[in-house]
Amino acid sequence: NFPKYDAYIFSGVWCISAVEKCKPNMLYLHTPMRALYDLKDHFLKKSNPASRLALKKFASYWTPKDKMYMSHFDWIAANSDNVRKRVLKYYGKNLYNKTSVVYTGIDTKKYRYVKSGDFYLSASRLDSLKRIDMIIRAFKKTPGRKLIIAGSGPEEGKLKKLAEGCRNIEFLGSVSDKKLLDLYSTCKATIAANVDEDLGLIAIESHASGKPIVAIKEGGFLETVNSINGIFFKNESDIARALDKLEKTKWNPKTIQRSAQKYDIKEFTKRIRQILDGVIAKNS
């Protein structure tokens, strides 16, 4: 029994099961559960036989419930147009028409430009979906370029073995927020190869620090990266070309930082308030 509020904000996976008791409402959607939808085959393939069977049973049980719960939201704020398109694909036109894009907000004032350093920065969880192995293989072929990898995850051992003997590749493990801000502020550029990333905070945080990004040409990066703040690559063999182009380009840190302003937390707050006002008015 929930107390009565003007409106309810949902964010997450399991919490949506309370949607029918909490009206009016809105959902801030990072993505439909990927293990049920776009990455279902990926998770099935990487599972052992027992886990695969469990995942199939879970998907069979939860997918219809997920769709039913989602249908009860008054409004959905997707964190990118990429995620909004997933709403159309997996939930249909009715829910898509009740979905708008509200980009994830960051406190852009925390980030700063110090200098263009001598290293590229990978700041992602060490997970197969981040495809850091692709980045490592590219840097193994260009030993004159330095790569710093900040983060931890299930692929850490495998990735360290892949980079073994490469003096130009350094693993820092998990780092503090302060250390990450320092890395952003002093790197040459960031680099990311995430599989169909929902939005991609690394690009936004990189830009807030006045740094360009070398990004895979897919997913949310298509919304955040352009010619004034980064370079795209299409696949592993294309990374070297992208790095060459980045190093030949004269980047303007202030221009890059301005491109991050649309993702500031103040803009996010304004958009969420507008949605809540509309939801409350519609249900009053």
Side-chain angles (χ1 to χ4, degrees):
N1 295 317
F2 292 92
K4 181 62 180 173
Y5 294 101
D6 295 324
Y8 299 84
I9 302 173
F10 287 72
S11 181
V13 175
W14 311 115
C15 64
I16 68 172
S17 59
V19 63
E20 293 173 276
K21 292 183 179 180
C22 303
K23 292 276 190 174
N25 58 51
M26 65 160 286
L27 169 68
Y28 190 72
L29 181 65
H30 295 281
T31 182
M33 192 189 295
R34 303 192 76 177
L36 297 182
Y37 300 108
D38 61 314
L39 293 180
K40 182 178 178 179
D41 288 343
H42 165 82
F43 287 106
L44 286 172
K45 286 177 183 177
K46 68 178 292 189
S47 300
N48 59 44
S51 297
R52 192 175 303 122
L53 180 61
L55 180 56
K56 285 181 178 179
K57 287 185 176 181
F58 166 74
S60 175
Y61 171 79
W62 188 256
T63 301
K65 282 185 172 292
D66 178 67
K67 292 184 176 183
M68 182 271 289
Y69 291 136
M70 289 291 288
S71 70
H72 287 287
F73 281 104
D74 295 314
W75 200 261
I76 294 172
N79 75 353
S80 65
D81 190 53
N82 186 36
V83 169
R84 186 171 184 246
K85 288 174 181 173
R86 290 179 193 164
V87 172
L88 176 61
K89 183 173 183 179
Y90 300 115
Y91 298 123
K93 195 170 183 179
N94 286 341
L95 207 57
Y96 176 79
N97 290 336
K98 294 195 295 182
T99 303
S100 57
V101 175
V102 181
Y103 289 115
T104 301
I106 65 168
D107 184 0
T108 57
K109 291 181 181 178
K110 286 197 315 184
Y111 299 83
R112 66 195 188 282
Y113 174 91
V114 173
K115 66 178 182 178
S116 178
D118 64 349
F119 66 93
Y120 290 86
L121 174 65
S122 168
S124 298
R125 176 173 162 78
L126 305 189
D127 181 279
S128 60
L129 292 174
K130 306 303 181 182
R131 289 189 292 212
I132 296 169
D133 57 333
M134 179 190 296
I135 297 170
I136 289 174
R137 284 192 293 269
F139 274 80
K140 285 177 74 171
K141 296 174 185 175
T142 55
R145 290 178 170 129
K146 185 177 179 181
L147 172 67
I148 288 182
I149 300 171
S152 61
E155 295 279 299
E156 187 167 353
K158 179 180 176 182
L159 293 173
K160 283 182 175 179
K161 188 173 182 180
L162 178 62
E164 200 169 25
C166 299
R167 300 178 69 179
N168 63 317
I169 300 175
E170 181 181 358
F171 288 82
L172 298 184
S174 295
V175 298
S176 66
D177 289 346
K178 182 181 182 301
K179 177 64 175 177
L180 185 59
L181 288 172
D182 289 341
L183 291 167
Y184 274 129
S185 70
T186 57
C187 67
K188 182 192 295 287
T190 55
I191 185 165
N194 309 17
V195 174
D196 193 18
E197 187 63 72
D198 309 332
L199 174 62
L201 279 178
I202 185 173
I204 297 171
E205 293 172 342
S206 179
H207 296 156
S209 306
K211 301 303 174 65
I213 185 170
V214 182
I216 189 81
K217 195 173 185 179
E218 62 182 68
F221 295 130
L222 296 173
E223 299 173 56
T224 58
V225 181
N226 54 52
S227 60
I228 68 168
N229 60 26
I231 302 290
F232 282 120
F233 61 89
K234 296 178 182 178
N235 48 45
E236 183 179 324
S237 61
D238 194 35
I239 292 178
R241 176 208 57 83
L243 294 174
D244 287 340
K245 185 175 180 181
L246 182 133
E247 291 170 4
K248 291 175 183 176
T249 303
K250 188 174 182 179
W251 301 98
N252 186 321
K254 290 184 178 179
T255 300
I256 294 175
Q257 285 177 313
R258 281 196 292 271
S259 74
Q261 288 306 304
K262 67 187 287 187
Y263 308 103
D264 188 76
I265 192 66
K266 290 182 179 178
E267 182 63 24
F268 171 84
T269 303
K270 183 174 77 173
R271 294 292 309 282
I272 294 295
R273 286 184 180 276
Q274 289 171 345
I275 291 172
L276 287 175
D277 288 344
V279 164
I280 292 167
K282 186 177 179 181
N283 286 271
S284 60

